[in-house]
Amino acid sequence: MASAPSEPRPILGRVDSAGRLVAADPELERLQVEAGSKLGGSLALPQLAAVVRVAQRLRIPLARRVLAAGRDQDVDMWVRAVPEDGEVAISIEQWSARPASPPRLASMAAVEHEQLAATPLGWSVDEQLRIVSLAPTLAERLSVDPAAAAGQPLTKFLKLEEDEQGEMPLLAALASRSGFSGQRCVTRADGRQQLVLSGEVALGPGGSFAGFEGSAAAEQAEEPRPPLVDPSLHTALRAPLTNIIRSAEEMVDHPGRDERDEYAAYAADIATAARHLLSVIRSLGEEAHGGGEQPVDLSELTREAVALVEPEAGERGIAIAVQPAGEVFARAEPRSVIQILVNLLGNAVRHTREQTAVTVSFEKAGGSVLVHVADEGPGIDLGDQKRIFEPFEQANGGNGGSGLGLAISSRLARGMGGDIRLDSRPGEGARFTLVLPSG
């Protein structure tokens, strides 16, 4: 019987390029034998083998919760698979045995996930929406081999559609790290089959977000979408955030330290971040349904956005230079403008070279006001310049983002009567421009 180690230590193993378990600590070896194989034989634990195959195919470390079947019990474990010279090193933590549950997983060798065995149209993705597994029935509908789909973006096979409010439930769920339902989509293989996705969050060590596991169904009457956040939560959070802002502003005026300038700057950053968070909370509540477009000073909103991005920029030695322009008024919704600018600035910081600068400048053209955000990165190919504004798409192989920022920014800008423009050539950096109606 496979039992937990007496001391909390990782349980190690190694799988070769042919999928054979060539090295294993005693606990893992016993589990392999109980599953009907042996050390040196094919890895006989379906869920564990699935994680190893995806890590091997992507050539990146992959961590996943796995349920494996022993002779008399099931073992719930957290597995980290790290590709190394064609092989995959396995490190297992949080080994937890529990009574076996029917049907026994050992009899389901053809199925990689317990949920997929019970769900004909089941699927799972990682935190970047790359496919971890597809149920055979769903893979058939998508006209793809399940093994070949592993590691590919979900959106390569499914085109996500907006709901009547112009939102995508999966996009909102990814942003808020929550479950979702009612995400309508169309298969890209033929453009005709319509599916509705629903999913729950998959958790990593310590409760960290690790992707989604869910199912698909043929489109039926649209399900009512539950509120993204309970309205009572807005009320509960506004008061403490308001107190944080008030206390931080008092620190700005009266630091109470010899290093007055330094502590005042820290307090100003705290106040700015708290105000931004408060605005996001308000936007999720009833207050967001009333429009709210008004004359706003883009110079002031830009300063707030820069303050939120500067810590990330500082870690890479990147300066954010805002060209002086006095008051620059546009007609817009302040929270949306800050969110757009944070997205554009964060995108520029992630893609520009270290020890360079991101430049922000302003321009008036006819009845519009423009905010330019320029970086000194590798630039964007012409063929990618339209695609990167679609949800979950990134240029240059991505660079730590989710592929959502530009899609969200574009939608918010259009909702205020504006737009996002891009001017870029490979090797010459990129300049994104927020266009808004003049205020």
Side-chain angles (χ1 to χ4, degrees), residues 263-328:
Y263 281 89
Y266 291 158
D269 290 343
I270 293 171
T272 297
R275 279 194 295 268
H276 180 60
L277 181 56
L278 183 60
S279 73
V280 171
I281 291 171
R282 286 173 176 161
S283 71
L284 294 175
E286 296 179 357
E287 299 172 21
H289 301 296
E293 294 178 13
Q294 57 188 278
V296 296
D297 182 1
L298 294 181
S299 294
E300 177 62 30
L301 296 182
T302 298
R303 284 192 289 271
E304 292 193 29
V306 168
L308 293 168
V309 178
E310 275 185 332
E312 181 182 357
E315 291 178 358
R316 302 189 64 231
I318 295 169
I320 301 179
V322 181
Q323 297 182 358
E327 294 181 337
V328 182

Side-chain angles (χ1 to χ4, degrees), residues 101 120 144:
S101 56
V144 64

Side-chain angles (χ1 to χ4, degrees), residues 129 251 306 317 409:
L129 299 186
M251 290 173 62
V306 168
S409 297

Side-chain angles (χ1 to χ4, degrees), residues 121 123 134 137-144 153-161 183-197 216-219:
L121 298 182
W123 54 269
L134 290 176
T137 307
L138 179 57
E140 183 178 354
R141 291 200 177 202
L142 301 182
S143 300
V144 64
L154 180 67
T155 51
K156 181 175 181 178
F157 307 105
L158 288 170
K159 180 180 179 182
L160 305 183
E161 296 185 340
Q183 174 60 68
R184 297 171 62 243
C185 55
V186 178
T187 56
R188 291 190 183 273
D190 56 19
R192 293 194 302 271
Q193 294 192 63
Q194 295 186 330
L195 300 172
V196 180
L197 303 182
E219 185 174 15

Side-chain angles (χ1 to χ4, degrees), residues 211-354:
F212 294 102
E213 296 178 346
S215 61
E219 185 174 15
Q220 304 293 334
E222 187 172 347
E223 303 177 16
R225 186 181 173 206
L228 186 60
V229 179
D230 189 330
S232 63
L233 184 60
H234 304 147
T235 303
L237 291 177
R238 285 192 192 109
L241 281 173
T242 301
N243 289 336
I244 290 172
I245 294 169
R246 184 183 302 113
S247 298
E249 289 175 342
E250 290 176 356
M251 290 173 62
V252 172
D253 295 330
H254 307 287
R257 302 267 186 175
D258 294 335
E259 307 90 342
R260 298 176 65 87
D261 292 341
E262 181 180 357
Y263 281 89
Y266 291 158
D269 290 343
I270 293 171
T272 297
R275 279 194 295 268
H276 180 60
L277 181 56
L278 183 60
S279 73
V280 171
I281 291 171
R282 286 173 176 161
S283 71
L284 294 175
E286 296 179 357
E287 299 172 21
H289 301 296
E293 294 178 13
Q294 57 188 278
V296 296
D297 182 1
L298 294 181
S299 294
E300 177 62 30
L301 296 182
T302 298
R303 284 192 289 271
E304 292 193 29
V306 168
L308 293 168
V309 178
E310 275 185 332
E312 181 182 357
E315 291 178 358
R316 302 189 64 231
I318 295 169
I320 301 179
V322 181
Q323 297 182 358
E327 294 181 337
V328 182
F329 281 96
R331 186 161 189 82
E333 202 285 311
R335 295 186 294 272
S336 296
V337 172
I338 291 177
Q339 184 172 356
I340 292 171
L341 292 175
V342 167
N343 285 339
L344 296 184
L345 288 166
N347 186 67
V349 166
R350 285 190 295 274
H351 289 87
T352 198
R353 300 189 305 275
E354 292 188 3

